[in-house]
Amino acid sequence: MTDPLDFSFTVSATDGQARTGHIAMPRGNIRTPAFMPVGTAATVKAMYPEQVRDLGADVVLGNTYHLMLRPGAERMARLGGLHRFMRWDGPILTDSGGFQVMSLSALRKIDEEGVTFRSHIDGTAHRMSPERSIEIQGLLGSDIQMQLDECVRLPAERPEIEKAMHLSLRWAERCRVAFGEQPGKAMFGIVQGGDVPELRVESARALTDLGLKGYAIGGLAVGEPQAVMLAMIETVEPHLPSTKPRYLMGVGTPDDLMQSVMRGIDMFDCVMPTRAGRHGLAYTRHGRINLRNARHAEDTRPLDEASDCPAARDYSRAYLHHLVRSDEILGMMLLTWNNLAYYQALMAGMRAAIAAGRLADFVAETKDGWARAEA
Ligand SMILES: CNc1nc2c(CCNCc3ccccc3)c3nc(N)[nH]c(=O)c3cc2[nH]1
């Protein structure tokens, strides 16, 4: 029997490299494979937290970079932490902020000590060390904290990739020391190494030697073809402990999720379903539908009459087309709801398929449904 006050990962069934199970944490269990909706500024955009829970999400993502700038880590702690602030009582995973610094802030610099950057909100100067990133994640009340790392965009030259991977390893050690022992919480390391197999293996082995509670694969979904991403997963997977969760950061499309689960990934996060929803795109079992397209103007069918999500089942495509064309807020709300529901249904379908030893069939049936999409 695992200690209900601690973090534990149980694999209940496997199907090839794929695994299904759950992470037990004090704030609740995370069924795996899991898709984690992104809640950048303490909100899953256009969604009530109750809706996010009802559509099957067990864990949401918070963002250290955004929240340290606004409302501020110490202020969040004074307000009782991120769970109370956003009314999410399940586990929260926070990214460490390094990736967002490199993609959002101006005038940023990386050195041995950490990252120095200017806020994209008000231009104020900030410094984030591995220790400060872990401290901020603690002040937010994060349940699963990510190490501070350096993610290199691809394509990149080997020396740059190697330098960033080694820096990230040194930062992993510093984050582990700063995190210390926090029963019921976890700090995950992040495998780097770009598209260089031997650097990926070196990173995975060194992180495994640190004996962490979970391992993320970073440095992917940064512009490389899906084939390169999948090849790096295959390279890294044998060098990560099979008893710990694997989290593929920033991924991905429904096909990315299925291909990666088949290769042994347990956790995902991606802005795709929420961002696409705000831009009029619907993910469905018939494939992706762009509701801006005029062909929907008089289509009285819902997105998916078989769905148990009201956004997919109860509203006509004609209405959704009208809302999207009119830039109505309800359009963003309904399509975000539909997309997150679809992603969670896909994960639930994979969990059941793995338990039944039929993941390959499930993947084939899902892709067949997309292909048969109406003209
Ligand atoms: C989209 N492709 C992609 N995303 C990556 C991320 C961010 C993952 N999403 C975190 C998030 C949290 C809250 C709100 C919004 C996003 C990474 N994060 C880290 N730390 N390291 C990576 O290598 C790394 C690589 C990535 N590739």
Side-chain angles (χ1 to χ4, degrees), residues 5 39 59 110 131 216 234 251 254 266 291 371:
L5 290 180
V59 49
I110 287 192
E131 293 78 11
E234 289 169 11
V251 175
D266 306 302
L291 272 305

Side-chain angles (χ1 to χ4, degrees), residues 36-41 43 60-66 93-100 103-104 146-153 168 190-192 200 216-224 247-252 268-272 275:
M36 306 183 284
V38 162
T40 299
T43 156
V60 298
L61 250 65
N63 197 307
T64 298
Y65 171 74
H66 292 84
L93 182 150
T94 47
D95 199 357
S96 48
F99 183 83
Q100 290 77 31
S103 39
L104 290 171
M146 302 309 294
Q147 70 155 94
L148 186 67
D149 61 328
E150 183 184 1
C151 170
V152 172
R153 291 279 186 286
S168 295
I190 304 176
V191 177
Q192 293 293 348
R200 283 281 174 185
I217 302 179
L220 295 174
V222 287
E224 79 285 357
Y247 162 27
L248 181 57
M249 304 189 85
V251 175
F268 301 88
D269 88 272
C270 189
V271 296
M272 193 88 78
R275 184 174 294 169

Side-chain angles (χ1 to χ4, degrees), residues 128-195:
M128 181 142 66
S129 65
E131 293 78 11
R132 177 60 179 157
S133 175
I134 294 297
E135 182 184 32
I136 290 170
Q137 296 179 71
L139 287 165
L140 298 177
S142 171
D143 301 288
I144 301 178
Q145 305 177 18
M146 302 309 294
Q147 70 155 94
L148 186 67
D149 61 328
E150 183 184 1
C151 170
V152 172
R153 291 279 186 286
L154 294 177
E157 295 303 313
R158 177 176 173 136
E160 181 192 1
I161 295 171
E162 186 159 11
K163 183 165 175 282
M165 185 273 281
H166 285 141
L167 177 64
S168 295
L169 281 181
R170 293 193 297 275
W171 284 359
E173 174 63 43
R174 286 171 56 184
C175 286
R176 190 178 65 84
V177 170
F179 181 80
E181 299 300 324
Q182 297 185 47
K185 298 197 171 190
M187 197 277 288
F188 282 15
I190 304 176
V191 177
Q192 293 293 348
D195 54 1

Side-chain angles (χ1 to χ4, degrees), residues 249-288:
M249 304 189 85
V251 175
T253 66
D255 187 49
D256 289 340
L257 296 179
M258 295 199 296
Q259 296 304 324
S260 302
V261 165
M262 293 179 85
R263 289 167 175 79
I265 301 296
D266 306 302
M267 301 161 74
F268 301 88
D269 88 272
C270 189
V271 296
M272 193 88 78
T274 40
R275 184 174 294 169
R278 297 195 302 278
H279 291 92
L281 296 172
Y283 284 95
T284 78
R285 63 188 171 85
H286 310 300
R288 204 174 75 162

Side-chain angles (χ1 to χ4, degrees), residues 112-132:
E112 186 63 34
E113 194 37 40
V115 290
T116 313
F117 59 95
R118 286 201 178 280
S119 161
H120 72 289
I121 296 170
D122 61 12
T124 48
H126 295 264
R127 185 161 184 64
M128 181 142 66
S129 65
E131 293 78 11
R132 177 60 179 157

Side-chain angles (χ1 to χ4, degrees), residues 88-109:
W88 175 262
D89 59 8
I92 292 178
L93 182 150
T94 47
D95 199 357
S96 48
F99 183 83
Q100 290 77 31
V101 166
M102 300 314 287
S103 39
L104 290 171
S105 69
L107 300 174
R108 74 270 184 197
K109 184 171 69 70

